[in-house]
């Protein structure tokens, strides 16, 4: 797996986790709060990156009520040798349709930066992307992609799943949709894999297990699935994401902080 694709998985699984968490908290009145989750990305015993996910439930874009979803990721220690990450992402998701309206990203690649602004127009069914890529002699870039009705951006993808009751499904059931990432639309989804007990934070915790589905990558799907565990209590907190990485061992994304406190179950 190349580093670029690994970054896609890291971002994608962070967004899955946060949205599942946001889904579970809407019923108790906390939907008006800003939520915050922090993760560590590990390979074996080594921490190589961190991620922070926030969601503002009371934002707007041009007068339309929106969810404002933000993600910050960075590499640490050994991770900087594998490929430097220092990225900020923000998406505005329409509250009524749960579709993306606008997103921005600022990516640091070595000593260069990549800035991107994306707008989604569901009337013309086009994605309009503008980029300033400081790695190029002429940094200005722009392109368009055709939308599909189920197209989401990466940060907003699993806001869509707030309409699904995952845990009334049978083991092996899945939901798919189209996600826009850079210059391409990807078919992605999540499959429900049942309930089990895992060790988390030195405790035995009941959890639901999910599989991330990326059909265009056969090895990832068949040989090295991305597995996601969320707590099976009423809160359904995201706990752990992991997959086997070629030549590197097991890669894990672990929840380490929940709303400025230790995640205790």
């Amino acid at each position: 797996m190349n580093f670029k694709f690994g970054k896609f998985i890291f971002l994608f699984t962070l967004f899955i986790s946060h949205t599942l968490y946001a889904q579970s908290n809407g019923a108790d009145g906390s939907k008006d709060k800003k939520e915050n989750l922090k993760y560590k990305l590990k390979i074996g015993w080594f921490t190589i990156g961190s991620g922070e996910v926030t969601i503002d439930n009371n934002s707007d874009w041009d007068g339309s009520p929106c969810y404002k979803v933000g993600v910050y990721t960075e590499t640490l220690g050994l991770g900087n040798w594998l490929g430097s990450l220092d990225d900020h992402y923000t998406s505005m998701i329409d509250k009524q349709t749960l579709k993306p309206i606008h997103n921005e990203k600022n990516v640091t690649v070595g000593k260069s930066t990549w800035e991107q602004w994306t707008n989604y127009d569901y009337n013309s069914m086009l994605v309009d992307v503008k980029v300033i890529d400081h790695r190029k002699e002429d940094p200005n870039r722009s392109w368009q992609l055709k939308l599909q009705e189920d197209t989401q951006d990466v940060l907003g993808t699993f806001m869509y799943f707030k309409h699904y009751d995952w845990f009334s499904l049978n083991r092996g059931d899945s939901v798919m949709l189209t996600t826009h990432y850079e210059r391409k639309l990807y078919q992605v989804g999540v499959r429900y894999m049942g309930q089990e007990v895992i060790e988390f934070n030195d405790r035995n915790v009941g959890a639901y297990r999910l599989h991330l589905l990326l059909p265009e990558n056969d090895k990832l799907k068949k040989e090295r699935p991305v597995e996601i565990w969320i707590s099976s209590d009423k809160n359904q907190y995201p706990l752990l994401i992991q997959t086997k990485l070629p030549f590197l061992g097991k890669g894990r994304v672990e929840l380490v902080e929940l709303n400025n406190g230790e995640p205790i179950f």
Side-chain angles (χ1 to χ4, degrees):
M1 186 190 309
N2 62 36
F3 187 75
K4 180 178 178 181
F5 194 71
K7 182 170 78 169
F8 173 81
I9 292 173
F10 183 36
L11 291 169
F12 195 81
T13 50
L14 283 176
F15 308 147
I16 292 170
S17 297
H18 182 71
T19 304
L20 288 168
Y21 173 70
Q23 175 182 352
S24 70
N25 278 273
D28 65 1
S30 61
K31 64 182 179 179
D32 294 330
K33 298 179 181 179
K34 292 183 179 180
E35 307 292 344
N36 180 272
L37 293 91
K38 293 183 179 180
Y39 294 86
K40 295 294 185 183
L41 172 60
K42 298 182 178 181
I43 294 180
W45 295 101
F46 298 99
T47 297
I48 67 166
S50 66
E52 182 173 358
V53 186
T54 60
I55 185 168
D56 183 347
N57 291 282
N58 291 301
S59 191
D60 69 87
W61 183 261
D62 288 339
S64 296
C66 292
Y67 298 104
K68 182 179 181 180
V69 184
V71 169
Y72 172 69
T73 63
E74 65 175 341
T75 46
L76 303 169
L78 177 64
N80 290 315
W81 176 78
L82 296 172
S84 179
L85 255 182
D86 186 5
D87 301 355
H88 294 79
Y89 300 78
T90 304
S91 280
M92 308 300 294
I93 310 299
D94 187 283
K95 273 193 169 183
Q96 183 175 1
T97 65
L98 293 179
K99 292 183 177 181
I101 300 175
H102 174 84
N103 69 41
E104 301 178 7
K105 70 178 182 180
N106 189 307
V107 176
T108 299
V109 183
K111 295 182 180 180
S112 299
T113 59
W114 166 293
E115 299 171 86
Q116 179 172 310
W117 301 266
T118 304
N119 290 295
Y120 296 83
D121 189 337
Y122 282 88
N123 292 318
S124 65
M125 296 302 291
L126 290 173
V127 183
D128 185 67
V129 183
K130 297 188 186 309
V131 167
I132 300 178
D133 184 356
H134 295 282
R135 298 170 298 177
K136 309 291 186 180
E137 184 175 347
D138 179 6
N140 296 297
R141 298 283 184 274
S142 64
W143 62 83
Q144 289 185 327
L145 290 173
K146 290 185 178 180
L147 277 172
Q148 298 178 17
E149 283 296 337
D150 65 346
T151 299
Q152 302 284 336
D153 71 341
V154 179
L155 273 72
T157 292
F158 278 82
M159 296 297 285
Y160 176 84
F161 289 131
K162 292 177 73 173
H163 289 287
Y164 283 85
D165 181 3
W166 276 104
F167 310 113
S168 67
L169 299 181
N170 296 318
R171 178 184 170 91
D173 286 349
S174 60
V175 178
M176 304 295 298
L177 68 157
T178 305
T179 296
H180 168 231
Y181 182 68
E182 295 190 351
R183 291 178 177 261
K184 194 172 181 180
L185 299 181
Y186 293 85
Q187 284 291 311
V188 297
V190 174
R191 177 174 292 147
Y192 175 60
M193 300 300 294
Q195 187 173 0
E196 58 192 42
V197 175
I198 66 169
E199 184 176 341
F200 176 79
N201 209 14
D202 297 324
R203 294 174 174 85
N204 290 327
V205 177
Y208 295 110
R209 180 160 62 102
L210 309 174
H211 277 187
L212 173 64
L213 301 177
L214 294 172
E216 295 187 13
N217 191 292
D218 290 337
K219 286 187 177 181
L220 188 65
K221 180 173 62 170
K222 296 177 182 178
E223 302 172 16
R224 297 186 291 270
V226 177
E227 299 179 292
I228 306 162
W229 285 268
I230 62 175
S231 65
S232 58
D233 61 7
K234 64 179 181 180
N235 295 305
Q236 297 178 186
Y237 294 118
L239 306 175
L240 172 67
I241 303 106
Q242 71 178 25
T243 189
K244 292 181 181 179
L245 302 173
F247 311 113
L248 295 175
K250 186 177 293 183
R252 296 161 61 92
V253 179
E254 299 179 0
L255 176 67
V256 295
E257 187 174 308
L258 179 63
N259 291 330
N260 303 311
E262 182 182 359
I264 298 176
F265 301 89

